Amino acid sequence: MSPTTTPGAAAGRTPSAAASTPASPAPATTAGAPVPAKDAPGSSISYATATGGRTVALTFDDGPGKATGQVLALLAQYHAKATFCEIGPQATANPALVKQILAGGHRLCDHTVHHPQPMHTLSHDKQVYEIDAAKDMITAAGGPGTQVSWFRAPGGDFSADNRQIAVQDGLRPLGWTVDTRDWSKPGVPAIIANVKKELHPGGIILMHDGGGDRSQTVAALQQLLPWLVQQGYTFDFPAA
């Protein structure tokens, strides 16, 4: 999300619900009969880790930001890998952090230029810009050879249109299965409780390293990482 915009759930969307029932544009009509929108091949949303089993994928949205360095330091302590869903201008403003993410063996995800909500209401051309330009900004910040593998719509507001745009750009739509709701600053215990309640093997956890004060996220992550290890989880990337 953008530094001044609250993330997806703030728009009244429950990420897990958004994930299972992605928004679609109104169907076109031919001679008065509705024509269902067709999904592009390979445009299904990723809701599981790449290898499955007792693995978990950590994802961080809206950065890179002030908390990114702290998040990276904690991940390094536990040899944990994560996926960072970045806002284009944030990547442009913090190229050293993007490079640090890559140097740590983590991966990158496109999270648009302006974090528009609801994204599916934008024109096709504007959605193309949000996805394509953000990918270009992130790639430029990371330097030669930088790969961006996923696209996460703000608030999980996926549609047949923006998923097709993503796929045409070489990006797999990325959802989540665990919403920590850390963006709302509910308190460290609440963030941890959300993970323990919703996590299942092969799940994807949504957290934030940008978009505002993420001190609660950092504090929660400090407790969650050893707990995940104690529970027998290993760290993986989302299916691409």
Side-chain angles (χ1 to χ4, degrees), residues 83-84 86 98 101-102 106-110 135 138-140 142-150 169-172 240:
T83 300
F84 290 81
E86 301 190 330
V98 179
I101 288 169
L102 294 171
H106 309 289
R107 296 185 185 176
L108 300 173
C109 169
D110 180 326
K135 182 184 178 184
I138 296 166
T139 300
T146 296
Q147 181 176 351
V148 182
S149 301
W150 297 272
D169 221 7
L171 307 171
R172 173 81 186 271

Side-chain angles (χ1 to χ4, degrees), residues 21 25 43 45 49 56 63 88 96 113 120 126 131 166 170 179 190 192 204 216:
T21 56
S43 67
I45 303 170
T49 59
V56 60
V113 175
H120 80 275
K126 287 184 178 179
I131 297 171
D179 182 9
I192 294 171
I204 299 174
Q216 290 186 12

Side-chain angles (χ1 to χ4, degrees), residues 72-154:
L72 289 171
L74 287 171
L75 294 174
Q77 287 183 32
Y78 292 90
H79 306 287
K81 303 306 178 186
T83 300
F84 290 81
C85 299
E86 301 190 330
I87 300 293
Q90 287 296 104
T92 299
N94 299 283
L97 285 175
V98 179
K99 292 178 174 65
Q100 188 178 347
I101 288 169
L102 294 171
H106 309 289
R107 296 185 185 176
L108 300 173
C109 169
D110 180 326
H111 200 39
T112 72
V113 175
H114 298 110
H115 200 278
Q117 289 185 269
M119 185 173 182
H120 80 275
T121 63
L122 299 182
S123 69
H124 173 80
D125 288 347
K126 287 184 178 179
Q127 292 190 72
V128 169
Y129 171 76
E130 288 289 338
I131 297 171
D132 287 2
K135 182 184 178 184
D136 290 345
M137 292 175 188
I138 296 166
T139 300
T146 296
Q147 181 176 351
V148 182
S149 301
W150 297 272
F151 160 66
R152 175 172 278 165

